[in-house]
């Protein structure tokens, strides 16, 4: 996962240091679409890829899951094909001055695909699942 594609990737590197998450097996928890002039898509996802050293406020709890809330701005939805399985591979690439995002289901290869002009990490939190 190339976190330099996010406008504010420093919070990820502050938590994960050198061992950034790959997002090769994530759970899509929620997708929120806010229509408007610059359509917004908020993606909430879980990963079990933990930092090598947990942040102090996480180390006092039994954290086994990290939840990312990612905000995509000026979205062009291409394809939404949801399935019952929630194990996805998260792919984001830069092409023609847009972020091309593909969430591919690991079991049946169905995809959620969209483009966005900007991508921000809104929140990162750890919890016990």
């Amino acid at each position: 996962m190339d976190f330099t594609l996010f406008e504010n990737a420093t919070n990820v590197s502050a938590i994960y240091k050198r061992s950034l998450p790959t997002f090769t097996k994530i759970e899509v928890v929620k997708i929120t679409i806010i229509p408007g002039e610059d359509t917004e898509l908020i993606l909430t996802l879980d990963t079990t890829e933990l930092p090598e050293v947990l942040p102090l406020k996480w180390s006092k709890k039994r954290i086994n899951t990290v939840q990312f809330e990612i905000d995509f701005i000026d979205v062009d939805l291409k394809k939404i094909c949801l399935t019952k399985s929630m194990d996805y591979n998260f792919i984001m690439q830069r092409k023609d001055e847009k972020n091309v995002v593909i969430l591919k289901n690991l079991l049946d290869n169905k995809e959620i695909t969209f483009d966005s002009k900007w991508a921000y990490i809104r929140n990162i939190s750890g919890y016990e699942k």
Side-chain angles (χ1 to χ4, degrees), residues 49-107:
E49 294 179 271
L50 301 177
E52 289 178 10
V53 177
L54 293 177
L56 186 58
K57 66 180 182 179
W58 292 3
S59 62
K60 297 176 183 175
K61 302 173 185 172
R62 288 191 242 180
I63 303 298
N64 61 5
T65 304
V66 179
Q67 186 166 89
F68 284 78
E69 193 175 65
I70 305 170
D71 197 357
F72 297 94
I73 308 292
D74 200 359
V75 170
D76 182 10
L77 293 167
K78 303 293 184 187
K79 182 186 206 180
I80 294 183
C81 193
L82 298 173
T83 65
K84 290 183 181 180
S85 169
M86 296 304 281
D87 290 329
Y88 285 85
N89 184 8
F90 181 100
I91 302 162
M92 186 162 86
Q93 306 166 358
R94 192 77 179 158
K95 186 177 178 183
D96 299 327
E97 297 189 28
K98 292 181 181 178
N99 297 310
V100 178
V101 180
I102 301 167
L103 295 161
K104 182 174 272 199
N105 189 290
L106 297 173
L107 297 177

Side-chain angles (χ1 to χ4, degrees), residues 34-49:
I34 304 168
E37 186 175 332
D38 292 327
T39 300
E40 183 178 356
L41 186 144
I42 303 166
L43 175 65
T44 305
L45 60 89
D46 285 353
T47 181
T48 56
E49 294 179 271

